[in-house]
Amino acid sequence: MAPLFKLCLPALLLSVSIAAQAEDKTLNLYSWADYVAPDTLQRFEKETGIHVRYDTFDTSEVLETKLLTGGSGYDVVVPSSSVLARGLAAGALKEIPHERLKGYANLDPDLLEKLAAVDPGNRYGVPYTWGTLGLGMNVEAVKQRLPDVPLNSLDLLFKPEFASKLKDCGIAILDSPQEVIGLALHYLGKDPYSTDKNDLAAAEALLQKLQPSVLYVATGRQISDLANGSVCLALTYNGDASMAADQARKANKPFEVAYRIPKEGTLVWQDNLAIPKDAPHPEAARAFIEFMLRPESVAALTNTLFFATANQAATPLVDEAVRNDPDIYPKPEVRERLYADRSMSLKDMRQRTRLWTTFRSHQ
């Protein structure tokens, strides 16, 4: 049998080699739903011959668990800056040397600087999209109930005499303890990432005053509910509110949905492209990131989901109405009032989660 085995061995090795080459032409992407325009993926596959397998997650926590556990099989993931920081601390990410990364010079220096606070030297994350946490609203409904209150103020939420007047038309709060508690702290003039017990007690008291006026705490529902008029005020992401506004316009709703960045300042969030340390196809991952650094690759995403791109060279390709919207692309003086997403220890996050659970338990 030995001679026969020797005859079969070259064919076997050839088969294994062909299989390996086919596997090398695959990219496993793990991201939010619709976070890459379909025609962009098609162009990448056609140009490179690399097939993209696109899996999605619906919360950052799901991504973080897979990233920190390891062995996910993904080549490119899209973490927020805080998730990136925890992945970096756990040694779960592969370095992406940007000196040789084509298109890296297109990135916004301000966003790179903010990311450097959690990724020194910008060695592991490549900024992708960014936006703010703020106020999505049914303009007519809010003005009818509060005609003299500025629409760009967190007073709408955090002053009980205002929030109570919006209770009947519906207030929705994003289900994100770190972000919402941080915003409450910021509104009170405190560090959004404070761990001081007195500061957190003050934030808890502020949220308790808001709680009776809140219809629900959830993630994802705000888009359709703002668009169809089920809620009149939502603490949500700018892109979600802008998608709701787009849906309301297309449905010829008799009201305007708008988004406002709070004048008091707010969180500027940032999503980034990253490569897990055990990515099976690191070269394909790098090719994909370079492709997404092309202006035309990300402009299509901004035109669809209304999240600003971190790629400055892409801005001229963004629809004029979008790139000139100051609540999507805020002016420099507004950006100065925005604080960056930052990582917190598990101990401090658990402290906020307990506070949040109490707030949510009344819903």
Side-chain angles (χ1 to χ4, degrees):
M1 296 296 293
L4 179 61
F5 175 76
K6 288 180 180 179
L7 287 173
C8 293
L9 185 58
L12 178 63
L13 291 175
L14 178 60
S15 175
V16 170
S17 175
I18 291 173
Q21 288 177 18
E23 185 66 22
D24 286 341
K25 287 293 185 180
T26 298
L27 175 92
N28 299 310
L29 174 64
Y30 196 41
S31 182
W32 298 97
D34 304 317
Y35 225 28
V36 183
D39 61 334
T40 301
L41 286 181
Q42 292 168 9
R43 286 191 293 107
F44 173 76
E45 291 182 330
K46 183 176 181 180
E47 181 176 315
T48 64
I50 297 172
H51 172 64
V52 179
R53 293 173 180 162
Y54 191 169
D55 290 343
T56 64
F57 53 84
D58 55 5
T59 69
S60 291
E61 289 75 15
V62 173
L63 165 62
E64 183 171 355
T65 298
K66 291 202 174 188
L67 186 62
L68 299 187
T69 302
S72 67
Y74 293 114
D75 301 300
V76 175
V77 294
V78 190
S80 66
S81 296
S82 55
V83 172
L84 181 85
R86 290 190 286 275
L88 186 55
L93 297 172
K94 183 182 289 292
E95 186 172 351
I96 309 173
H98 55 72
E99 294 81 3
R100 302 187 304 276
L101 204 60
K102 295 177 183 176
Y104 193 84
N106 292 334
L107 295 173
D108 186 327
D110 179 59
L111 297 178
L112 286 170
E113 183 180 349
K114 282 183 167 62
L115 184 60
V118 298
D119 176 16
N122 300 120
R123 308 302 298 176
Y124 292 86
V126 176
Y128 185 51
T129 59
W130 66 283
T132 51
L133 176 66
L135 303 168
M137 68 192 71
N138 178 324
V139 174
E140 285 77 11
V142 174
K143 282 186 174 180
Q144 180 184 357
R145 291 160 177 80
L146 297 169
D148 301 319
V149 181
L151 297 182
N152 65 338
S153 176
L154 290 171
D155 288 347
L156 291 171
L157 281 177
F158 293 136
K159 285 192 173 182
E161 63 268 31
F162 296 157
S164 62
K165 291 184 178 180
L166 299 175
K167 179 178 179 178
D168 71 302
C169 59
I171 295 177
I173 303 295
L174 183 74
D175 189 8
S176 179
Q178 179 168 332
E179 294 180 345
V180 179
I181 293 170
L183 187 63
L185 286 165
H186 180 74
Y187 176 78
L188 293 169
K190 304 179 187 301
D191 177 2
Y193 300 100
S194 175
T195 58
D196 183 271
K197 290 183 179 179
N198 292 328
D199 290 349
L200 290 172
E204 183 174 20
L206 187 68
L207 290 172
Q208 284 176 347
K209 291 178 182 177
L210 167 64
Q211 193 278 329
S213 300
V214 174
L215 179 63
Y216 66 78
V217 178
T219 298
R221 285 178 57 183
Q222 290 91 335
I223 298 175
S224 59
D225 286 353
L226 278 170
N228 63 32
S230 299
V231 298
C232 63
L233 184 66
L235 181 62
T236 189
Y237 302 121
N238 64 295
D240 289 353
S242 296
M243 280 189 277
D246 189 54
Q247 289 178 17
R249 280 193 301 271
K250 290 176 178 176
N252 295 314
K253 294 292 183 179
F255 53 81
E256 176 192 1
V257 175
Y259 174 81
R260 295 291 181 265
I261 295 175
K263 65 180 184 179
E264 297 87 354
T266 187
L267 168 76
V268 54
W269 58 263
Q270 185 171 316
D271 282 341
N272 310 279
L273 302 176
I275 303 175
K277 190 172 185 178
D278 56 0
H281 314 108
E283 291 305 314
R286 185 180 176 87
F288 179 76
I289 290 173
E290 285 192 334
F291 191 86
M292 296 310 298
L293 283 170
R294 297 181 186 178
E296 64 274 14
S297 296
V298 288
L301 172 66
T302 299
N303 287 333
T304 303
L305 296 187
F306 308 104
F307 292 124
T309 171
N311 190 320
Q312 288 184 319
T315 305
L317 303 179
V318 173
D319 292 342
E320 185 177 0
V322 177
R323 70 173 185 264
N324 291 333
D325 186 332
D327 289 297
I328 298 177
Y329 282 92
K331 304 297 182 185
E333 60 270 20
V334 176
R335 291 182 69 165
E336 290 177 2
R337 298 197 296 271
L338 306 178
Y339 59 88
D341 188 15
R342 204 169 80 200
S343 178
M344 298 188 73
S345 70
L346 290 176
K347 175 185 174 184
D348 293 334
M349 288 179 65
R350 281 195 294 268
Q351 188 179 25
R352 294 193 175 204
T353 300
R354 285 194 294 270
L355 188 161
W356 190 248
T357 301
T358 301
F359 173 67
R360 284 210 61 189
S361 64
H362 298 288
Q363 298 303 311

